[in-house]
Amino acid sequence: DGGITQSPKYLFRKEGQNVTLSCEQNLNHDAMYWYRQDPGQGLRLIYYSQIVNDFQKGDIAEGYSVSREKKESFPLTVTSAQKNPTAFYLCASSSPSGRARVSYNEQFFGPGTRLTVL
Amino acid sequence: AQSVTQPDIHITVSEGASLELRCNYSYGATPYLFWYVQSPGQGLQLLLKYFSGDTLVQGIKGFEAEFKRSQSSFNLRKPSVHWSDAAEYFCAVPSGGATNKLIFGTGTLLAVQP
């Protein structure tokens, strides 16, 4: 079955440590996204990538970094510069090749990673 | 700029009662509109989407939504709520331009009481 996987589901980090969240998709999607979710704030875009080897900052990129070396993978690193990293992180992908325009905007989500800083 | 507003932060309904969740959008052209559902600790699942044609859209799990251009609304409805519908619901609209980013509302948390 096609889908998006995120690992780990729960992640604990000590202050001052960098940590990398994994996101993998086998949907043949070009675009991938990282969101941060906090209670009462909905989803906020951290980074997005529309194609391999290219990515753009979202609304809250400070303290985060990404890479997009493969179409299937879009890992997110939460650096020690992120002042309040405890949150639920969601990865998504969109724009399957050869589909109608509406599918170009529809996003498919992974199950999320809950990061807690101790 | 494109935006989406969900006026209701939290709604409680009785099981078997009807449901309507509100979504208002601001968009320069005919929008694509989406409703997603999120169960606790899970990712988001697409309920339904609108892009053109019939303004009443049917989705999964018995949900429907109606696009009303005159009111800039895309409200989600269900005639009879089940306890398993308790979740958070998000309305979304494309951000526009050359990207396929979505702008999400802040969500409506639905509680279902017996």
Side-chain angles (χ1 to χ4, degrees):
Chain A
D1 287 339
I4 302 176
T5 57
Q6 292 186 242
S7 61
K9 186 169 180 62
Y10 298 97
L11 188 57
F12 297 90
R13 186 195 96 175
K14 292 182 180 179
E15 279 193 38
Q17 288 181 337
N18 293 354
V19 64
T20 298
L21 283 60
S22 170
C23 177
E24 304 277 335
Q25 55 99 359
N26 61 3
L27 300 168
N28 196 32
H29 286 176
D30 295 310
M32 297 185 74
Y33 313 81
W34 274 105
Y35 294 93
R36 171 180 172 138
Q37 188 176 25
D38 297 282
Q41 297 194 46
L43 280 70
R44 293 184 290 168
L45 184 64
I46 305 172
Y47 268 97
Y48 66 101
S49 168
Q50 297 202 112
I51 198 168
V52 175
N53 293 321
D54 185 61
F55 50 83
Q56 305 295 328
K57 292 182 179 180
D59 302 317
I60 56 164
E62 184 176 353
Y64 300 97
S65 66
V66 294
S67 63
R68 186 81 187 280
E69 298 176 0
K70 299 186 299 182
K71 188 175 186 178
E72 301 80 14
S73 178
F74 191 41
L76 173 74
T77 296
V78 184
T79 74
S80 56
Q82 168 51 233
K83 298 307 179 188
N84 185 22
T86 295
F88 189 55
Y89 290 87
L90 287 161
C91 179
S93 68
S94 74
S95 65
S97 301
R99 296 283 293 278
R101 178 172 171 79
V102 64
S103 297
Y104 192 76
N105 290 111
E106 176 183 344
Q107 293 185 11
F108 295 80
F109 284 81
T113 292
R114 184 164 299 282
L115 172 64
T116 302
V117 174
L118 303 173
Chain B
Q2 286 79 355
S3 66
V4 61
T5 302
Q6 295 180 247
D8 304 306
I9 297 173
H10 189 277
I11 285 181
T12 300
V13 300
S14 298
E15 191 168 15
S18 63
L19 171 70
E20 183 168 26
L21 302 182
R22 296 184 290 165
C23 172
N24 295 102
Y25 67 89
S26 171
Y27 196 83
T30 301
Y32 300 133
L33 293 157
F34 305 88
W35 272 102
Y36 285 85
V37 61
Q38 184 182 33
S39 297
Q42 303 296 318
L44 275 68
Q45 180 184 20
L46 183 70
L47 281 175
L48 48 78
K49 58 193 177 189
Y50 170 81
F51 61 100
S52 69
D54 193 345
T55 56
L56 186 62
V57 180
Q58 301 298 319
I60 62 172
K61 304 186 180 188
F63 285 92
E64 66 179 25
E66 186 171 12
F67 170 61
K68 293 185 177 181
R69 184 189 301 276
S70 61
Q71 298 177 19
S72 297
S73 69
F74 188 56
N75 294 349
L76 182 71
R77 302 194 295 244
K78 187 169 184 178
S80 178
V81 171
H82 188 263
W83 64 266
S84 60
D85 294 323
E88 191 156 21
Y89 293 80
F90 294 92
C91 183
V93 62
S95 65
T99 75
N100 47 7
K101 295 186 295 181
L102 290 177
I103 297 173
F104 288 85
T106 51
T108 297
L109 185 62
L110 174 66
V112 180
Q113 58 186 18

